Structure formats: C-alpha cells, structure tokens
Amino acid sequence: MKTPLRNVILGICVLAVVGSVIAFAATGMYPYTRFRDAEIEAANAETDLSDLFADADEQGTHAAVESVNAIGLLPSGPGAASISVVTISGPAIVAIGLALWFGRRKASGTTDADNGSIST
Amino acid sequence: MKIITTIAALTLASTFALSQPAHKAMPVAQAAPGGKTLVVSSAHQAKGQVYYAITERDRQIYVESDAPLEKIKGQSNAVIGYVVSSSHNPGSLVAGEWHLPVNSIKTGIELRDEHLAGSDWLDAGAFPDVIVQIRETKDIKVIKQTASFTQYSVTLVGDLTLHGVTHTINVPNSSVSIMNESAATKKVARGDLMAVRSKFTITLADYGVSHPVIGEKVAKEVEMDVKLFMSTNPPAKQ
C-alpha cells in the first residue's frame, strides 16, 4: 500500500475511533445506542395531574425514562441503531492495525534491502 | 410413637395449608367499549365510589431493573382500570382492577421493547396485560390534610397477575390522595380526583419468567413504581 493512502486511511480510522468515543461521552455514556421516542416524550411532557398532586407527593419523584439521541457503547438493533462505539471503532481499529502492519512490513523490507540482504 | 404421629400430622397439615391459595382468584374485568377503561361489575359499583384511571396522560408506571451489567428503565401511561373507594372511609379501597398492556412499556430502545413483549420474556401474545386486582386496603391513616386534598397511608392488598401467574401482594406505605372537584382541578380533569401511589418489587421467577440473562443483564427483582391518577368521571366524560 502506498504510504500517502495508508496515512489517509489511518487518519480516517483514528478520527472514527476518537469521534465515536467523544460522541459516546458527550451523549451520556449509555450502554446502548438510543433515539428519541415520541411516546415517551409526550408522556414525560404531560405533567398537569402530577403538578396538581405535587403537594401530596410524599414518596418522591416518579422517575422517567430518558428520551435522547445517544451513541451507545453497543448497538441496539439494525439500521441506525447499529451505530455505536463498538461497531464504529471495532472495524477502524482493525484497519489501523492492518495499516500499521503493512507499513512495518514495507519498512522492514526496505531496511533489509538497504543492508544487502534478501527480504520478502 | 405418639410424638412421631403428632409431628407427622402437623407436617401434613402445614403442607396442606401452604398449598392452598390464599384467596379465591377473582374474575378479570373486560375492557369497556373504546378500550379506555374496564367494565365495573355491579357488585363493585355497589361497594362505593368508583374512580376511573385517567389514561394516556401523565406516566403511570415506572419499572426499573438494576442488574450488575445493565440498568433498564421502563414506563407506561396506558394503564386502564378503576378503584372503588369506600363510602364510609374514602381512603379505603374496597375493590379495583388495573390493566397494564405489556406492549405499552417503553424502555427507550425499540428492539428491547420488542424483546420484553416477546415469548422469551413477558409474552404479550399470550398474556397481553399485567393485571392488579385490589382486594382491600389495611392500616389506613390520614397523613396529610390540606384545603385541597386528603392523603391516606394504606397497605394495598391485592392480586398481581404477570405472565399468566397470579400472586397475592401486600404493599405497605402506599398512598391514596383524594381531591374534590374545584375550579383548579377542572382545568386539568373533570370529576373528583384520586392519586394512588405504590411501590413494590416483583421477583421474575415467581411469575414464571426465566431467561439465562436474569441475574446478569436483567435483575432477578424488578422495582415497580405505580402512580395512577383517577377521576370519578369515566374516560368518556373526563
């Protein structure tokens, strides 16, 4: 593989790994990728009755499920839900490994040739 | 010999007692036309004031499974049903039934919702609803009284049917709050209003729900937080 092409691939892959990790951290570090859900949002937005009985809420807040767009550590299904740190970074890390391996192989071949030895 | 016979008799007697159901199973109410509430039997109507669940508004059920590998939260606002409040003591619930459609539980991840309702888990195809049937309330005491509402602390006693399996539940520290209709309440919902709050734990194995990931990704015990708002007006008039 030509060095400039390899460097471009390396750069893209490193960006993919770093980008997915940053997106994971920035969107709440959920274990699974998730998307906003209209039904959850509608139920969470409707608080008229809860507000009316707010003074009678001796047992604390009634918790709610978050409705967010988040890149998770793992995918949560097919399609867009398959985007995750693992599904982005996994192939990128493999590609980085391959690019580095090819680069090292080529470099060691060049060095051996410079030394007058036969190398594959 | 006499002692052995006595012990054997006592053992048999206690085994027999344990194998008997604590209560006779109650008949399950049918959904009323329109599906927004349940049909209230005349026997239940005669027991006191009927309050109907206000459905598809504020969230009513929050479920949490806190397993070592994953925390799962779910919620629903699709509970339908009613409770009957005693005419002698409004804080005393003398009958009632709620249906939580399994398919309505949202966890924020679509595929997980499908799995939850699937045959490996709650099997919504065969058992579409989680059903709570109220038998009575005990330990009733007024814990708060203001110009707008009265709040009672109660122990809810009833039957919970999940995955086709029914067990009696006793839920102490539940609350029943009653708010008479006023100008302020009319802006939100019509009729006298009631809020029922109850927190309890369900052991999945008790209800025949088993799966290899229970104990790892799904907790053996799931926390339920119920907060139902109800009105004396049936859904069509709310």
Side-chain angles (χ1 to χ4, degrees):
Chain A
M1 192 185 293
K2 301 269 187 198
T3 303
L5 178 62
R6 193 180 66 234
N7 287 345
V8 168
I9 292 171
L10 264 174
I12 290 170
C13 290
V14 168
L15 274 177
V17 172
V18 173
S20 67
V21 171
I22 289 173
F24 169 67
T27 55
M29 294 201 280
Y30 286 91
Y32 292 97
T33 295
R34 54 197 298 148
F35 300 101
R36 292 172 68 169
D37 183 303
E39 282 184 53
I40 291 174
E41 281 186 12
N44 291 351
E46 181 75 62
T47 59
D48 287 357
L49 287 158
S50 298
D51 294 344
L52 198 61
F53 280 92
D55 289 341
D57 226 347
E58 300 293 322
Q59 297 193 46
T61 311
H62 196 227
V65 176
E66 304 90 347
S67 174
V68 291
N69 291 322
I71 301 291
L73 196 60
L74 297 165
S76 64
S82 66
I83 297 168
S84 70
V85 173
V86 165
T87 48
I88 294 172
S89 295
I93 288 169
V94 171
I96 290 168
L98 285 173
L100 290 174
W101 182 68
F102 276 119
R104 176 172 283 197
R105 203 165 159 243
K106 191 178 176 190
S108 78
T110 308
T111 308
D112 289 347
D114 290 345
N115 291 341
S117 61
I118 300 166
S119 178
T120 53
Chain B
M1 185 64 189
K2 199 173 179 181
I3 293 169
I4 293 170
T5 312
T6 310
I7 291 170
L10 283 171
T11 309
L12 271 174
S14 61
T15 308
F16 182 74
L18 284 173
S19 64
Q20 296 304 298
H23 298 283
K24 191 181 167 193
M26 290 185 277
V28 175
Q30 297 300 306
K36 299 280 187 190
T37 189
L38 300 173
V39 175
V40 186
S41 68
S42 52
H44 280 183
Q45 284 184 23
K47 286 184 170 182
Q49 176 65 57
V50 179
Y51 286 79
Y52 299 88
I54 301 172
T55 190
E56 293 173 0
R57 288 184 54 180
D58 292 43
R59 58 187 181 278
Q60 300 161 302
I61 304 285
Y62 174 76
V63 190
E64 189 170 298
S65 152
D66 194 359
L69 295 180
E70 196 178 351
K71 190 175 200 172
I72 299 171
K73 302 170 185 176
Q75 71 179 44
S76 170
N77 68 343
V79 175
I80 60 169
Y82 66 92
V83 296
V84 182
S85 160
S86 163
S87 41
H88 306 295
N89 182 356
S92 170
L93 306 183
V94 289
E97 187 165 330
W98 311 322
H99 289 195
L100 162 65
V102 171
N103 279 325
S104 74
I105 302 171
K106 300 285 173 194
T107 65
I109 293 175
E110 203 173 337
L111 187 63
R112 185 160 62 193
D113 296 346
E114 287 173 22
H115 288 166
L116 181 69
S119 56
D120 286 345
W121 291 96
L122 300 185
D123 198 359
F127 313 108
D129 296 319
V130 178
I131 300 170
V132 173
Q133 293 171 298
I134 302 295
R135 288 185 180 275
E136 60 173 332
T137 41
K138 297 191 295 192
D139 315 322
I140 305 157
K141 49 181 184 272
V142 175
I143 55 170
K144 201 170 186 179
Q145 196 153 24
T146 70
S148 60
F149 70 88
T150 305
Q151 187 174 33
Y152 303 84
S153 170
V154 303
T155 296
L156 274 182
V157 181
D159 290 353
L160 172 70
T161 303
L162 170 72
H163 197 239
V165 178
T166 304
H167 286 292
T168 297
I169 53 168
N170 276 271
V171 190
N173 302 319
S174 299
S175 69
V176 175
S177 306
I178 294 174
M179 194 176 279
N180 290 329
E181 188 173 43
S182 66
T185 64
K186 276 183 188 172
K187 290 177 190 167
V188 178
R190 293 159 75 184
D192 293 343
L193 304 180
M194 176 190 280
V196 177
R197 185 80 184 268
S198 192
K199 294 179 181 180
F200 53 95
T201 302
I202 293 171
T203 304
L204 293 174
D206 289 349
Y207 292 89
V209 181
S210 59
H211 195 281
V213 303
I214 290 178
E216 295 167 7
K217 293 173 81 177
V218 175
K220 291 175 184 171
E221 293 184 337
V222 175
E223 305 289 333
M224 295 274 286
D225 187 350
V226 179
K227 190 178 189 181
L228 295 183
F229 297 105
M230 305 193 154
S231 165
T232 49
N233 280 15
K237 295 178 183 172
Q238 285 169 6

